[in-house]
Amino acid sequence: MTSTVPALGTRTAEGSALQAVLLDMDGTLVDTEGFWWDVEVEIFAGLGHTLDDSWRHVVVGGPMTRSAGFLIEATGADITFAELSVLLNDGFEDRIGRALPLMPGAARLLAELSAHEIPTALVSASHRRIIDRVLTSLGTHHFALSIAGDEVERTKPHPDPYLIAAAGLGVDPARCAVVEDTATGVAAAEAAGCHVVAVPSVAPIAAGARRTVVTSLEEVDLPFLRGLMANY
């Protein structure tokens, strides 16, 4: 997709009002971070390699180029990135076709944002084919737009996906609340100048400036998100 990326630090006259909510997908709205790891373990086992469980923290939340590239290099497996990418997407799609568990609080939060007509975007490092399958279960009506990892030149941890989402919604990134579950996603949102709510799924995330850490989406509602703007 072609979009104009606004300059970092852009401000509007809207003051401290919440203009939009931008949500990650895997591990944030749907309980699927483990699915990716299971698929990776299965594929590499078929290639004769055992993945070290410590590598899970390296590959979680990042673009497929990074995670697949790392695993190929770490194992020395005889497979190209293009071949592995197809196997990963096929394996993941098979799993979500069988079950797609939502994270606690996800359905309630999406319904609340829709009811109050808060502009909302899904921003994921997953490929479009995967996002579209998940959107069918989440409800496409909850999202004004979605950004996929294979639609941007630079995906997370670069700020581009969040800047493009904000531009697509016509809002100021600094007036957006982002909900993420990994350090990679948090880095992307913070680089875009957004306020971040981190809900760690696999690895811990420390609190920081413009970053609030919670243990579950059950703690996140519209007043909570609006309150983020008032704190800065």
Side-chain angles (χ1 to χ4, degrees):
M1 63 183 289
T2 302
S3 301
T4 300
V5 178
L8 291 177
T10 300
R11 295 292 185 272
T12 70
E14 297 290 334
S16 61
L18 174 70
Q19 292 183 344
V21 177
L22 315 178
L23 298 146
D24 174 53
M25 187 177 79
D26 294 303
T28 299
L29 293 176
V30 289
D31 192 7
T32 51
E33 287 291 12
F35 285 13
W36 285 111
W37 180 249
D38 291 344
V39 171
E40 289 160 348
V41 168
E42 183 178 290
I43 291 171
F44 279 90
L47 296 170
H49 299 275
T50 300
L51 300 188
D52 190 313
D53 197 58
S54 66
W55 295 345
R56 183 172 181 172
H57 298 298
V58 178
V59 301
V60 68
M64 191 173 292
T65 49
R66 188 189 75 185
S67 57
F70 170 82
L71 293 174
I72 291 171
E73 183 176 350
T75 60
D78 184 19
I79 189 171
T80 66
F81 168 75
E83 293 168 336
L84 181 55
S85 176
V86 170
L87 293 176
L88 287 171
N89 278 318
D90 286 349
F92 186 80
E93 198 165 357
D94 175 65
R95 275 169 171 73
I96 63 175
R98 286 181 268 154
L100 185 60
L102 299 187
M103 298 298 286
R108 187 263 315 149
L109 177 60
L110 291 176
E112 183 180 12
L113 294 174
S114 291
H116 289 84
E117 299 183 342
I118 302 299
T120 304
L122 187 68
V123 183
S124 176
S126 290
H127 289 188
R128 171 54 59 186
R129 60 179 282 196
I130 299 298
I131 287 181
D132 285 346
R133 285 292 301 274
V134 174
L135 277 171
T136 300
S137 295
L138 288 176
T140 56
H141 62 285
H142 289 307
F143 303 94
L145 61 84
S146 58
I147 306 295
D150 57 339
E151 294 175 338
V152 294
E153 241 182 86
R154 302 188 309 169
T155 189
K156 304 173 188 180
H158 298 287
D160 304 34
Y162 283 112
L163 292 174
I164 290 170
L169 294 174
V171 298
D172 179 358
R175 302 274 68 84
C176 293
V178 169
V179 186
E180 273 280 1
D181 72 303
T182 67
T184 299
V186 167
E190 290 183 336
C194 305
H195 297 262
V196 182
V197 178
V199 193
S201 62
V202 175
I205 298 174
R210 297 175 70 88
R211 181 196 312 168
T212 302
V213 180
V214 298
T215 58
S216 167
L217 283 183
E218 297 282 15
E219 301 174 45
V220 181
D221 57 15
L222 186 51
F224 176 92
L225 294 172
R226 283 176 168 156
L228 296 178
M229 304 294 131
N231 292 332
Y232 298 92

